[in-house]
PDB file of all heavy atoms in Angstrom:
ATOM      1  N   ARG A 171      -7.469  54.396 -35.769  1.00 95.00           N
ATOM      2  CA  ARG A 171      -8.642  54.278 -36.641  1.00 95.00           C
ATOM      3  C   ARG A 171      -9.596  53.210 -36.161  1.00 95.00           C
ATOM      4  O   ARG A 171      -9.179  52.141 -35.738  1.00 95.00           O
ATOM      5  CB  ARG A 171      -8.206  54.018 -38.092  1.00 95.00           C
ATOM      6  CG  ARG A 171      -7.354  52.765 -38.265  1.00 95.00           C
ATOM      7  CD  ARG A 171      -6.828  52.641 -39.675  1.00 95.00           C
ATOM      8  NE  ARG A 171      -7.833  52.219 -40.622  1.00 95.00           N
ATOM      9  CZ  ARG A 171      -8.140  50.962 -40.840  1.00 95.00           C
ATOM     10  NH1 ARG A 171      -7.546  49.985 -40.190  1.00 95.00           N
ATOM     11  NH2 ARG A 171      -9.056  50.643 -41.742  1.00 95.00           N
ATOM     12  N   ILE A 172     -10.898  53.496 -36.227  1.00 95.00           N
ATOM     13  CA  ILE A 172     -11.945  52.520 -35.859  1.00 95.00           C
ATOM     14  C   ILE A 172     -12.983  52.511 -36.999  1.00 95.00           C
ATOM     15  O   ILE A 172     -13.999  53.216 -36.929  1.00 95.00           O
ATOM     16  CB  ILE A 172     -12.623  52.872 -34.495  1.00 95.00           C
ATOM     17  CG1 ILE A 172     -11.594  53.007 -33.391  1.00 95.00           C
ATOM     18  CG2 ILE A 172     -13.622  51.819 -34.115  1.00 95.00           C
ATOM     19  CD1 ILE A 172     -11.254  54.375 -33.053  1.00 95.00           C
ATOM     20  N   PRO A 173     -12.729  51.732 -38.070  1.00 94.00           N
ATOM     21  CA  PRO A 173     -13.645  51.721 -39.228  1.00 94.00           C
ATOM     22  C   PRO A 173     -14.887  50.855 -38.973  1.00 94.00           C
ATOM     23  O   PRO A 173     -14.916  49.664 -39.272  1.00 94.00           O
ATOM     24  CB  PRO A 173     -12.806  51.150 -40.364  1.00 94.00           C
ATOM     25  CG  PRO A 173     -11.766  50.316 -39.663  1.00 94.00           C
ATOM     26  CD  PRO A 173     -11.557  50.869 -38.295  1.00 94.00           C
ATOM     27  N   LEU A 174     -15.940  51.428 -38.372  1.00 93.00           N
ATOM     28  CA  LEU A 174     -17.135  50.679 -37.970  1.00 93.00           C
ATOM     29  C   LEU A 174     -17.924  50.132 -39.157  1.00 93.00           C
ATOM     30  O   LEU A 174     -18.649  49.147 -39.038  1.00 93.00           O
ATOM     31  CB  LEU A 174     -18.050  51.538 -37.088  1.00 93.00           C
ATOM     32  CG  LEU A 174     -17.427  52.017 -35.759  1.00 93.00           C
ATOM     33  CD1 LEU A 174     -18.423  52.869 -34.998  1.00 93.00           C
ATOM     34  CD2 LEU A 174     -17.019  50.817 -34.893  1.00 93.00           C
ATOM     35  N   HIS A 175     -17.807  50.798 -40.338  1.00 92.00           N
ATOM     36  CA  HIS A 175     -18.549  50.312 -41.506  1.00 92.00           C
ATOM     37  C   HIS A 175     -17.872  49.187 -42.228  1.00 92.00           C
ATOM     38  O   HIS A 175     -18.471  48.566 -43.103  1.00 92.00           O
ATOM     39  CB  HIS A 175     -18.771  51.505 -42.488  1.00 92.00           C
ATOM     40  CG  HIS A 175     -19.766  52.502 -42.010  1.00 92.00           C
ATOM     41  ND1 HIS A 175     -19.500  53.355 -40.942  1.00 92.00           N
ATOM     42  CD2 HIS A 175     -21.031  52.767 -42.393  1.00 92.00           C
ATOM     43  CE1 HIS A 175     -20.557  54.135 -40.764  1.00 92.00           C
ATOM     44  NE2 HIS A 175     -21.480  53.797 -41.602  1.00 92.00           N
ATOM     45  N   THR A 176     -16.604  48.934 -41.931  1.00 93.00           N
ATOM     46  CA  THR A 176     -15.847  47.882 -42.656  1.00 93.00           C
ATOM     47  C   THR A 176     -16.049  46.536 -41.960  1.00 93.00           C
ATOM     48  O   THR A 176     -15.609  46.361 -40.843  1.00 93.00           O
ATOM     49  CB  THR A 176     -14.351  48.252 -42.638  1.00 93.00           C
ATOM     50  OG1 THR A 176     -14.192  49.616 -43.105  1.00 93.00           O
ATOM     51  CG2 THR A 176     -13.555  47.316 -43.558  1.00 93.00           C
ATOM     52  N   PHE A 177     -16.739  45.628 -42.647  1.00 93.00           N
ATOM     53  CA  PHE A 177     -17.038  44.331 -42.017  1.00 93.00           C
ATOM     54  C   PHE A 177     -15.809  43.489 -41.745  1.00 93.00           C
ATOM     55  O   PHE A 177     -15.800  42.694 -40.820  1.00 93.00           O
ATOM     56  CB  PHE A 177     -18.012  43.544 -42.922  1.00 93.00           C
ATOM     57  CG  PHE A 177     -19.436  44.030 -42.811  1.00 93.00           C
ATOM     58  CD1 PHE A 177     -20.369  43.673 -43.765  1.00 93.00           C
ATOM     59  CD2 PHE A 177     -19.831  44.834 -41.758  1.00 93.00           C
ATOM     60  CE1 PHE A 177     -21.682  44.118 -43.686  1.00 93.00           C
ATOM     61  CE2 PHE A 177     -21.143  45.269 -41.665  1.00 93.00           C
ATOM     62  CZ  PHE A 177     -22.063  44.918 -42.631  1.00 93.00           C
ATOM     63  N   ARG A 178     -14.761  43.630 -42.568  1.00 93.00           N
ATOM     64  CA  ARG A 178     -13.587  42.790 -42.338  1.00 93.00           C
ATOM     65  C   ARG A 178     -12.700  43.340 -41.198  1.00 93.00           C
ATOM     66  O   ARG A 178     -11.759  42.682 -40.796  1.00 93.00           O
ATOM     67  CB  ARG A 178     -12.773  42.637 -43.620  1.00 93.00           C
ATOM     68  CG  ARG A 178     -12.142  43.909 -44.162  1.00 93.00           C
ATOM     69  CD  ARG A 178     -11.131  43.611 -45.238  1.00 93.00           C
ATOM     70  NE  ARG A 178     -10.642  44.851 -45.806  1.00 93.00           N
ATOM     71  CZ  ARG A 178     -11.053  45.379 -46.975  1.00 93.00           C
ATOM     72  NH1 ARG A 178     -11.999  44.769 -47.679  1.00 93.00           N
ATOM     73  NH2 ARG A 178     -10.566  46.523 -47.380  1.00 93.00           N
ATOM     74  N   ALA A 179     -13.005  44.539 -40.728  1.00 94.00           N
ATOM     75  CA  ALA A 179     -12.246  45.106 -39.600  1.00 94.00           C
ATOM     76  C   ALA A 179     -12.607  44.376 -38.303  1.00 94.00           C
ATOM     77  O   ALA A 179     -13.802  44.246 -37.969  1.00 94.00           O
ATOM     78  CB  ALA A 179     -12.531  46.607 -39.453  1.00 94.00           C
ATOM     79  N   ASP A 180     -11.605  43.876 -37.634  1.00 94.00           N
ATOM     80  CA  ASP A 180     -11.829  43.100 -36.386  1.00 94.00           C
ATOM     81  C   ASP A 180     -11.998  44.098 -35.214  1.00 94.00           C
ATOM     82  O   ASP A 180     -11.008  44.538 -34.629  1.00 94.00           O
ATOM     83  CB  ASP A 180     -10.620  42.175 -36.135  1.00 94.00           C
ATOM     84  CG  ASP A 180     -10.859  41.259 -34.944  1.00 94.00           C
ATOM     85  OD1 ASP A 180     -12.001  41.213 -34.447  1.00 94.00           O
ATOM     86  OD2 ASP A 180      -9.912  40.586 -34.509  1.00 94.00           O
ATOM     87  N   ILE A 181     -13.239  44.445 -34.932  1.00 95.00           N
ATOM     88  CA  ILE A 181     -13.513  45.443 -33.881  1.00 95.00           C
ATOM     89  C   ILE A 181     -14.145  44.780 -32.673  1.00 95.00           C
ATOM     90  O   ILE A 181     -15.159  44.094 -32.817  1.00 95.00           O
ATOM     91  CB  ILE A 181     -14.412  46.583 -34.434  1.00 95.00           C
ATOM     92  CG1 ILE A 181     -13.638  47.385 -35.462  1.00 95.00           C
ATOM     93  CG2 ILE A 181     -14.878  47.487 -33.282  1.00 95.00           C
ATOM     94  CD1 ILE A 181     -14.415  48.452 -36.143  1.00 95.00           C
ATOM     95  N   ASP A 182     -13.542  44.944 -31.533  1.00 96.00           N
ATOM     96  CA  ASP A 182     -14.076  44.400 -30.282  1.00 96.00           C
ATOM     97  C   ASP A 182     -14.805  45.537 -29.566  1.00 96.00           C
ATOM     98  O   ASP A 182     -14.378  46.693 -29.613  1.00 96.00           O
ATOM     99  CB  ASP A 182     -12.923  43.909 -29.370  1.00 96.00           C
ATOM    100  CG  ASP A 182     -13.417  42.900 -28.362  1.00 96.00           C
ATOM    101  OD1 ASP A 182     -14.595  42.523 -28.426  1.00 96.00           O
ATOM    102  OD2 ASP A 182     -12.615  42.514 -27.496  1.00 96.00           O
ATOM    103  N   TYR A 183     -15.945  45.209 -28.902  1.00 97.00           N
ATOM    104  CA  TYR A 183     -16.778  46.238 -28.321  1.00 97.00           C
ATOM    105  C   TYR A 183     -17.304  45.755 -26.961  1.00 97.00           C
ATOM    106  O   TYR A 183     -17.583  44.580 -26.790  1.00 97.00           O
ATOM    107  CB  TYR A 183     -17.957  46.522 -29.253  1.00 97.00           C
ATOM    108  CG  TYR A 183     -19.050  47.396 -28.695  1.00 97.00           C
ATOM    109  CD1 TYR A 183     -18.878  48.757 -28.520  1.00 97.00           C
ATOM    110  CD2 TYR A 183     -20.267  46.852 -28.344  1.00 97.00           C
ATOM    111  CE1 TYR A 183     -19.881  49.559 -28.026  1.00 97.00           C
ATOM    112  CE2 TYR A 183     -21.307  47.647 -27.830  1.00 97.00           C
ATOM    113  CZ  TYR A 183     -21.096  48.987 -27.658  1.00 97.00           C
ATOM    114  OH  TYR A 183     -22.108  49.788 -27.162  1.00 97.00           O
ATOM    115  N   ALA A 184     -17.409  46.673 -26.011  1.00 96.00           N
ATOM    116  CA  ALA A 184     -17.965  46.285 -24.700  1.00 96.00           C
ATOM    117  C   ALA A 184     -18.532  47.530 -24.000  1.00 96.00           C
ATOM    118  O   ALA A 184     -18.120  48.657 -24.276  1.00 96.00           O
ATOM    119  CB  ALA A 184     -16.825  45.674 -23.796  1.00 96.00           C
ATOM    120  N   THR A 185     -19.508  47.282 -23.109  1.00 96.00           N
ATOM    121  CA  THR A 185     -20.060  48.373 -22.274  1.00 96.00           C
ATOM    122  C   THR A 185     -19.915  47.995 -20.830  1.00 96.00           C
ATOM    123  O   THR A 185     -19.846  46.800 -20.500  1.00 96.00           O
ATOM    124  CB  THR A 185     -21.546  48.595 -22.608  1.00 96.00           C
ATOM    125  OG1 THR A 185     -22.240  47.394 -22.330  1.00 96.00           O
ATOM    126  CG2 THR A 185     -21.732  48.975 -24.051  1.00 96.00           C
ATOM    127  N   SER A 186     -19.862  48.998 -19.979  1.00 96.00           N
ATOM    128  CA  SER A 186     -19.789  48.766 -18.525  1.00 96.00           C
ATOM    129  C   SER A 186     -20.374  49.938 -17.774  1.00 96.00           C
ATOM    130  O   SER A 186     -20.534  51.014 -18.361  1.00 96.00           O
ATOM    131  CB  SER A 186     -18.314  48.540 -18.131  1.00 96.00           C
ATOM    132  OG  SER A 186     -18.192  48.239 -16.767  1.00 96.00           O
TER     133      SER A 186
END
Side-chain angles (χ1 to χ4, degrees):
R171 57 188 284 275
I172 304 101
L174 297 179
H175 287 72
T176 309
F177 283 163
R178 66 169 175 257
D180 186 11
I181 293 176
D182 201 7
Y183 170 74
T185 60
S186 183

